[in-house]
mmCIF file of all heavy atoms in Angstrom:
data_model
loop_
_atom_site.group_PDB
_atom_site.id
_atom_site.type_symbol
_atom_site.label_atom_id
_atom_site.label_comp_id
_atom_site.label_asym_id
_atom_site.label_seq_id
_atom_site.Cartn_x
_atom_site.Cartn_y
_atom_site.Cartn_z
ATOM 1 N N GLN A 381 40.755 -41.651 -72.939
ATOM 2 C CA GLN A 381 40.054 -40.482 -72.417
ATOM 3 C C GLN A 381 40.827 -39.185 -72.627
ATOM 4 O O GLN A 381 40.263 -38.187 -73.090
ATOM 5 C CB GLN A 381 39.716 -40.688 -70.944
ATOM 6 C CG GLN A 381 38.554 -41.648 -70.714
ATOM 7 C CD GLN A 381 38.095 -41.655 -69.282
ATOM 8 O OE1 GLN A 381 38.695 -41.010 -68.416
ATOM 9 N NE2 GLN A 381 37.030 -42.382 -69.006
ATOM 10 N N PRO A 382 42.137 -39.103 -72.310
ATOM 11 C CA PRO A 382 42.846 -37.852 -72.588
ATOM 12 C C PRO A 382 42.891 -37.497 -74.075
ATOM 13 O O PRO A 382 42.848 -36.318 -74.436
ATOM 14 C CB PRO A 382 44.267 -38.116 -72.039
ATOM 15 C CG PRO A 382 44.094 -39.192 -71.035
ATOM 16 C CD PRO A 382 42.994 -40.056 -71.567
ATOM 17 N N PHE A 383 42.963 -38.515 -74.945
ATOM 18 C CA PHE A 383 43.079 -38.236 -76.376
ATOM 19 C C PHE A 383 41.711 -37.881 -76.986
ATOM 20 O O PHE A 383 41.620 -36.968 -77.809
ATOM 21 C CB PHE A 383 43.646 -39.461 -77.088
ATOM 22 C CG PHE A 383 43.775 -39.277 -78.585
ATOM 23 C CD1 PHE A 383 44.757 -38.463 -79.122
ATOM 24 C CD2 PHE A 383 42.877 -39.891 -79.443
ATOM 25 C CE1 PHE A 383 44.861 -38.281 -80.488
ATOM 26 C CE2 PHE A 383 42.971 -39.714 -80.804
ATOM 27 C CZ PHE A 383 43.956 -38.907 -81.335
ATOM 28 N N ILE A 384 40.650 -38.577 -76.579
ATOM 29 C CA ILE A 384 39.342 -38.371 -77.202
ATOM 30 C C ILE A 384 38.600 -37.216 -76.547
ATOM 31 O O ILE A 384 38.068 -36.318 -77.221
ATOM 32 C CB ILE A 384 38.517 -39.671 -77.133
ATOM 33 C CG1 ILE A 384 39.195 -40.764 -77.958
ATOM 34 C CG2 ILE A 384 37.098 -39.441 -77.639
ATOM 35 C CD1 ILE A 384 38.526 -42.117 -77.867
ATOM 36 N N LEU A 385 38.550 -37.215 -75.214
ATOM 37 C CA LEU A 385 37.803 -36.152 -74.540
ATOM 38 C C LEU A 385 38.541 -34.824 -74.568
ATOM 39 O O LEU A 385 37.917 -33.765 -74.707
ATOM 40 C CB LEU A 385 37.519 -36.549 -73.091
ATOM 41 C CG LEU A 385 36.598 -37.774 -72.907
ATOM 42 C CD1 LEU A 385 36.412 -38.067 -71.423
ATOM 43 C CD2 LEU A 385 35.250 -37.551 -73.560
ATOM 44 N N GLY A 386 39.867 -34.880 -74.450
ATOM 45 C CA GLY A 386 40.635 -33.638 -74.537
ATOM 46 C C GLY A 386 40.521 -32.803 -73.284
ATOM 47 O O GLY A 386 40.005 -33.202 -72.247
ATOM 48 N N ARG A 387 41.027 -31.575 -73.385
ATOM 49 C CA ARG A 387 41.048 -30.669 -72.253
ATOM 50 C C ARG A 387 39.714 -30.005 -71.989
ATOM 51 O O ARG A 387 39.505 -29.429 -70.933
ATOM 52 C CB ARG A 387 42.110 -29.572 -72.466
ATOM 53 C CG ARG A 387 43.533 -30.105 -72.524
ATOM 54 C CD ARG A 387 44.524 -28.961 -72.721
ATOM 55 N NE ARG A 387 45.885 -29.435 -72.704
ATOM 56 C CZ ARG A 387 46.627 -29.546 -71.613
ATOM 57 N NH1 ARG A 387 46.104 -29.212 -70.453
ATOM 58 N NH2 ARG A 387 47.858 -29.995 -71.663
ATOM 59 N N ALA A 388 38.801 -30.046 -72.943
ATOM 60 C CA ALA A 388 37.536 -29.317 -72.784
ATOM 61 C C ALA A 388 36.709 -29.855 -71.637
ATOM 62 O O ALA A 388 35.996 -29.092 -70.976
ATOM 63 C CB ALA A 388 36.716 -29.385 -74.087
ATOM 64 N N VAL A 389 36.795 -31.159 -71.374
ATOM 65 C CA VAL A 389 35.965 -31.756 -70.328
ATOM 66 C C VAL A 389 36.838 -32.441 -69.286
ATOM 67 O O VAL A 389 36.408 -33.399 -68.642
ATOM 68 C CB VAL A 389 34.970 -32.770 -70.938
ATOM 69 C CG1 VAL A 389 33.936 -32.057 -71.768
ATOM 70 C CG2 VAL A 389 35.693 -33.810 -71.797
ATOM 71 N N ARG A 390 38.085 -31.975 -69.131
ATOM 72 C CA ARG A 390 38.970 -32.606 -68.158
ATOM 73 C C ARG A 390 38.540 -32.207 -66.753
ATOM 74 O O ARG A 390 38.492 -31.022 -66.416
ATOM 75 C CB ARG A 390 40.408 -32.203 -68.427
ATOM 76 C CG ARG A 390 41.415 -32.837 -67.465
ATOM 77 C CD ARG A 390 42.825 -32.576 -67.916
ATOM 78 N NE ARG A 390 43.106 -33.245 -69.170
ATOM 79 C CZ ARG A 390 44.274 -33.150 -69.805
ATOM 80 N NH1 ARG A 390 45.235 -32.399 -69.306
ATOM 81 N NH2 ARG A 390 44.442 -33.777 -70.954
ATOM 82 N N VAL A 391 38.245 -33.216 -65.939
ATOM 83 C CA VAL A 391 37.830 -33.007 -64.566
ATOM 84 C C VAL A 391 38.739 -33.854 -63.678
ATOM 85 O O VAL A 391 39.105 -34.979 -64.030
ATOM 86 C CB VAL A 391 36.349 -33.402 -64.348
ATOM 87 C CG1 VAL A 391 35.926 -33.139 -62.906
ATOM 88 C CG2 VAL A 391 35.449 -32.626 -65.301
ATOM 89 N N HIS A 392 39.132 -33.306 -62.539
ATOM 90 C CA HIS A 392 40.017 -34.019 -61.636
ATOM 91 C C HIS A 392 39.355 -35.316 -61.153
ATOM 92 O O HIS A 392 38.143 -35.333 -60.893
ATOM 93 C CB HIS A 392 40.359 -33.120 -60.448
ATOM 94 C CG HIS A 392 41.538 -33.604 -59.658
ATOM 95 N ND1 HIS A 392 41.433 -34.568 -58.670
ATOM 96 C CD2 HIS A 392 42.855 -33.270 -59.728
ATOM 97 C CE1 HIS A 392 42.618 -34.803 -58.154
ATOM 98 N NE2 HIS A 392 43.494 -34.031 -58.781
ATOM 99 N N PRO A 393 40.131 -36.407 -61.022
ATOM 100 C CA PRO A 393 39.527 -37.675 -60.572
ATOM 101 C C PRO A 393 38.811 -37.570 -59.229
ATOM 102 O O PRO A 393 37.782 -38.221 -59.013
ATOM 103 C CB PRO A 393 40.736 -38.609 -60.487
ATOM 104 C CG PRO A 393 41.720 -38.052 -61.468
ATOM 105 C CD PRO A 393 41.530 -36.584 -61.428
ATOM 106 N N LEU A 394 39.333 -36.741 -58.306
ATOM 107 C CA LEU A 394 38.647 -36.584 -57.029
ATOM 108 C C LEU A 394 37.276 -35.949 -57.220
ATOM 109 O O LEU A 394 36.291 -36.363 -56.592
ATOM 110 C CB LEU A 394 39.505 -35.728 -56.087
ATOM 111 C CG LEU A 394 38.887 -35.444 -54.709
ATOM 112 C CD1 LEU A 394 38.629 -36.733 -53.960
ATOM 113 C CD2 LEU A 394 39.783 -34.513 -53.901
ATOM 114 N N ALA A 395 37.210 -34.945 -58.105
ATOM 115 C CA ALA A 395 35.899 -34.331 -58.388
ATOM 116 C C ALA A 395 34.962 -35.339 -59.039
ATOM 117 O O ALA A 395 33.757 -35.343 -58.760
ATOM 118 C CB ALA A 395 36.092 -33.117 -59.302
ATOM 119 N N VAL A 396 35.488 -36.223 -59.889
ATOM 120 C CA VAL A 396 34.645 -37.249 -60.515
ATOM 121 C C VAL A 396 34.081 -38.193 -59.470
ATOM 122 O O VAL A 396 32.878 -38.492 -59.440
ATOM 123 C CB VAL A 396 35.464 -38.023 -61.573
ATOM 124 C CG1 VAL A 396 34.652 -39.193 -62.109
ATOM 125 C CG2 VAL A 396 35.851 -37.103 -62.716
ATOM 126 N N VAL A 397 34.934 -38.674 -58.568
ATOM 127 C CA VAL A 397 34.480 -39.615 -57.536
ATOM 128 C C VAL A 397 33.441 -38.975 -56.631
ATOM 129 O O VAL A 397 32.379 -39.561 -56.342
ATOM 130 C CB VAL A 397 35.689 -40.114 -56.725
ATOM 131 C CG1 VAL A 397 35.221 -40.965 -55.549
ATOM 132 C CG2 VAL A 397 36.622 -40.932 -57.601
ATOM 133 N N LEU A 398 33.722 -37.751 -56.163
ATOM 134 C CA LEU A 398 32.763 -37.080 -55.270
ATOM 135 C C LEU A 398 31.458 -36.777 -55.993
ATOM 136 O O LEU A 398 30.376 -36.917 -55.411
ATOM 137 C CB LEU A 398 33.397 -35.785 -54.741
ATOM 138 C CG LEU A 398 34.617 -35.963 -53.835
ATOM 139 C CD1 LEU A 398 35.154 -34.598 -53.411
ATOM 140 C CD2 LEU A 398 34.257 -36.785 -52.611
ATOM 141 N N ALA A 399 31.535 -36.363 -57.262
ATOM 142 C CA ALA A 399 30.304 -36.060 -58.004
ATOM 143 C C ALA A 399 29.471 -37.315 -58.222
ATOM 144 O O ALA A 399 28.246 -37.298 -58.062
ATOM 145 C CB ALA A 399 30.666 -35.423 -59.349
ATOM 146 N N VAL A 400 30.117 -38.417 -58.605
ATOM 147 C CA VAL A 400 29.367 -39.662 -58.818
ATOM 148 C C VAL A 400 28.754 -40.151 -57.514
ATOM 149 O O VAL A 400 27.585 -40.592 -57.482
ATOM 150 C CB VAL A 400 30.306 -40.732 -59.424
ATOM 151 C CG1 VAL A 400 29.607 -42.090 -59.461
ATOM 152 C CG2 VAL A 400 30.713 -40.330 -60.834
ATOM 153 N N ALA A 401 29.517 -40.077 -56.415
ATOM 154 C CA ALA A 401 28.972 -40.509 -55.125
ATOM 155 C C ALA A 401 27.800 -39.641 -54.695
ATOM 156 O O ALA A 401 26.763 -40.166 -54.254
ATOM 157 C CB ALA A 401 30.079 -40.464 -54.060
ATOM 158 N N ALA A 402 27.924 -38.330 -54.830
ATOM 159 C CA ALA A 402 26.828 -37.443 -54.457
ATOM 160 C C ALA A 402 25.613 -37.653 -55.350
ATOM 161 O O ALA A 402 24.466 -37.703 -54.868
ATOM 162 C CB ALA A 402 27.289 -35.988 -54.512
ATOM 163 N N GLY A 403 25.831 -37.770 -56.655
ATOM 164 C CA GLY A 403 24.707 -38.007 -57.559
ATOM 165 C C GLY A 403 24.002 -39.320 -57.279
ATOM 166 O O GLY A 403 22.773 -39.409 -57.308
ATOM 167 N N GLY A 404 24.794 -40.372 -56.971
ATOM 168 C CA GLY A 404 24.183 -41.655 -56.645
ATOM 169 C C GLY A 404 23.400 -41.612 -55.355
ATOM 170 O O GLY A 404 22.324 -42.226 -55.249
ATOM 171 N N MET A 405 23.899 -40.889 -54.342
ATOM 172 C CA MET A 405 23.177 -40.785 -53.082
ATOM 173 C C MET A 405 21.891 -39.990 -53.216
ATOM 174 O O MET A 405 20.883 -40.279 -52.569
ATOM 175 C CB MET A 405 24.074 -40.138 -52.025
ATOM 176 C CG MET A 405 25.263 -41.005 -51.619
ATOM 177 S SD MET A 405 26.377 -40.120 -50.490
ATOM 178 C CE MET A 405 25.281 -39.847 -49.099
ATOM 179 N N VAL A 406 21.908 -38.981 -54.077
ATOM 180 C CA VAL A 406 20.728 -38.126 -54.214
ATOM 181 C C VAL A 406 19.676 -38.759 -55.127
ATOM 182 O O VAL A 406 18.485 -38.807 -54.787
ATOM 183 C CB VAL A 406 21.138 -36.743 -54.753
ATOM 184 C CG1 VAL A 406 19.917 -35.897 -55.082
ATOM 185 C CG2 VAL A 406 22.009 -36.031 -53.739
ATOM 186 N N SER A 407 20.105 -39.281 -56.277
ATOM 187 C CA SER A 407 19.128 -39.737 -57.267
ATOM 188 C C SER A 407 19.443 -41.090 -57.867
ATOM 189 O O SER A 407 18.980 -41.399 -58.964
ATOM 190 C CB SER A 407 19.011 -38.691 -58.402
ATOM 191 O OG SER A 407 18.626 -37.447 -57.877
ATOM 192 N N GLY A 408 20.255 -41.884 -57.212
ATOM 193 C CA GLY A 408 20.489 -43.239 -57.706
ATOM 194 C C GLY A 408 21.352 -43.268 -58.953
ATOM 195 O O GLY A 408 22.244 -42.444 -59.152
ATOM 196 N N ILE A 409 21.051 -44.242 -59.823
ATOM 197 C CA ILE A 409 21.854 -44.427 -61.043
ATOM 198 C C ILE A 409 21.752 -43.211 -61.959
ATOM 199 O O ILE A 409 22.735 -42.770 -62.551
ATOM 200 C CB ILE A 409 21.415 -45.698 -61.776
ATOM 201 C CG1 ILE A 409 21.668 -46.930 -60.905
ATOM 202 C CG2 ILE A 409 22.149 -45.847 -63.104
ATOM 203 C CD1 ILE A 409 21.213 -48.231 -61.515
ATOM 204 N N GLY A 410 20.559 -42.636 -62.069
ATOM 205 C CA GLY A 410 20.396 -41.464 -62.913
ATOM 206 C C GLY A 410 21.262 -40.300 -62.443
ATOM 207 O O GLY A 410 21.895 -39.603 -63.254
ATOM 208 N N GLY A 411 21.318 -40.084 -61.126
ATOM 209 C CA GLY A 411 22.172 -39.021 -60.607
ATOM 210 C C GLY A 411 23.644 -39.280 -60.844
ATOM 211 O O GLY A 411 24.402 -38.358 -61.131
ATOM 212 N N ALA A 412 24.061 -40.546 -60.749
ATOM 213 C CA ALA A 412 25.461 -40.882 -61.030
ATOM 214 C C ALA A 412 25.810 -40.652 -62.493
ATOM 215 O O ALA A 412 26.947 -40.272 -62.819
ATOM 216 C CB ALA A 412 25.734 -42.331 -60.632
ATOM 217 N N VAL A 413 24.856 -40.895 -63.398
ATOM 218 C CA VAL A 413 25.123 -40.713 -64.826
ATOM 219 C C VAL A 413 25.293 -39.237 -65.169
ATOM 220 O O VAL A 413 26.199 -38.851 -65.918
ATOM 221 C CB VAL A 413 24.000 -41.343 -65.657
ATOM 222 C CG1 VAL A 413 24.136 -40.975 -67.140
ATOM 223 C CG2 VAL A 413 24.001 -42.857 -65.499
ATOM 224 N N VAL A 414 24.432 -38.373 -64.623
ATOM 225 C CA VAL A 414 24.455 -36.961 -65.008
ATOM 226 C C VAL A 414 25.407 -36.140 -64.154
ATOM 227 O O VAL A 414 25.601 -34.944 -64.432
ATOM 228 C CB VAL A 414 23.044 -36.345 -64.940
ATOM 229 C CG1 VAL A 414 22.067 -37.123 -65.777
ATOM 230 C CG2 VAL A 414 22.554 -36.297 -63.478
ATOM 231 N N ALA A 415 26.028 -36.735 -63.124
ATOM 232 C CA ALA A 415 26.854 -35.949 -62.211
ATOM 233 C C ALA A 415 28.087 -35.393 -62.909
ATOM 234 O O ALA A 415 28.385 -34.193 -62.807
ATOM 235 C CB ALA A 415 27.274 -36.816 -61.012
ATOM 236 N N VAL A 416 28.812 -36.240 -63.634
ATOM 237 C CA VAL A 416 30.069 -35.792 -64.241
ATOM 238 C C VAL A 416 29.839 -34.770 -65.363
ATOM 239 O O VAL A 416 30.530 -33.735 -65.405
ATOM 240 C CB VAL A 416 30.887 -37.003 -64.737
ATOM 241 C CG1 VAL A 416 32.144 -36.545 -65.452
ATOM 242 C CG2 VAL A 416 31.259 -37.876 -63.565
ATOM 243 N N PRO A 417 28.919 -34.998 -66.311
ATOM 244 C CA PRO A 417 28.682 -33.915 -67.297
ATOM 245 C C PRO A 417 28.217 -32.628 -66.662
ATOM 246 O O PRO A 417 28.552 -31.523 -67.130
ATOM 247 C CB PRO A 417 27.622 -34.505 -68.235
ATOM 248 C CG PRO A 417 27.047 -35.655 -67.530
ATOM 249 C CD PRO A 417 28.131 -36.189 -66.645
ATOM 250 N N LEU A 418 27.448 -32.710 -65.565
ATOM 251 C CA LEU A 418 27.025 -31.494 -64.885
ATOM 252 C C LEU A 418 28.223 -30.768 -64.290
ATOM 253 O O LEU A 418 28.333 -29.534 -64.399
ATOM 254 C CB LEU A 418 26.027 -31.844 -63.791
ATOM 255 C CG LEU A 418 25.481 -30.669 -62.956
ATOM 256 C CD1 LEU A 418 24.725 -29.702 -63.858
ATOM 257 C CD2 LEU A 418 24.576 -31.177 -61.845
ATOM 258 N N VAL A 419 29.159 -31.505 -63.703
ATOM 259 C CA VAL A 419 30.365 -30.876 -63.142
ATOM 260 C C VAL A 419 31.221 -30.275 -64.262
ATOM 261 O O VAL A 419 31.750 -29.163 -64.117
ATOM 262 C CB VAL A 419 31.164 -31.912 -62.332
ATOM 263 C CG1 VAL A 419 32.532 -31.367 -61.949
ATOM 264 C CG2 VAL A 419 30.399 -32.297 -61.076
ATOM 265 N N ALA A 420 31.351 -30.986 -65.380
ATOM 266 C CA ALA A 420 32.152 -30.469 -66.495
ATOM 267 C C ALA A 420 31.560 -29.188 -67.071
ATOM 268 O O ALA A 420 32.281 -28.212 -67.316
ATOM 269 C CB ALA A 420 32.271 -31.539 -67.590
ATOM 270 N N VAL A 421 30.252 -29.173 -67.250
ATOM 271 C CA VAL A 421 29.591 -27.978 -67.794
ATOM 272 C C VAL A 421 29.690 -26.828 -66.799
ATOM 273 O O VAL A 421 29.965 -25.669 -67.173
ATOM 274 C CB VAL A 421 28.123 -28.311 -68.139
ATOM 275 C CG1 VAL A 421 27.363 -27.030 -68.454
ATOM 276 C CG2 VAL A 421 28.064 -29.255 -69.328
ATOM 277 N N THR A 422 29.471 -27.102 -65.513
ATOM 278 C CA THR A 422 29.584 -26.050 -64.498
ATOM 279 C C THR A 422 30.979 -25.473 -64.454
ATOM 280 O O THR A 422 31.156 -24.246 -64.320
ATOM 281 C CB THR A 422 29.202 -26.626 -63.117
ATOM 282 O OG1 THR A 422 27.889 -27.187 -63.180
ATOM 283 C CG2 THR A 422 29.230 -25.548 -62.061
ATOM 284 N N ASN A 423 31.993 -26.311 -64.556
ATOM 285 C CA ASN A 423 33.360 -25.819 -64.567
ATOM 286 C C ASN A 423 33.616 -24.906 -65.758
ATOM 287 O O ASN A 423 34.243 -23.843 -65.631
ATOM 288 C CB ASN A 423 34.320 -27.007 -64.594
ATOM 289 C CG ASN A 423 35.777 -26.578 -64.611
ATOM 290 O OD1 ASN A 423 36.232 -25.861 -63.735
ATOM 291 N ND2 ASN A 423 36.504 -27.013 -65.619
#
Side-chain angles (χ1 to χ4, degrees):
Q381 285 190 355
F383 179 74
I384 296 176
L385 295 179
R387 296 181 177 271
V389 292
R390 181 171 295 178
V391 182
H392 196 276
L394 178 60
V396 173
V397 173
L398 295 179
V400 172
M405 293 174 62
V406 172
S407 302
I409 296 178
V413 171
V414 304
V416 176
L418 180 61
V419 170
V421 170
T422 303
N423 180 57

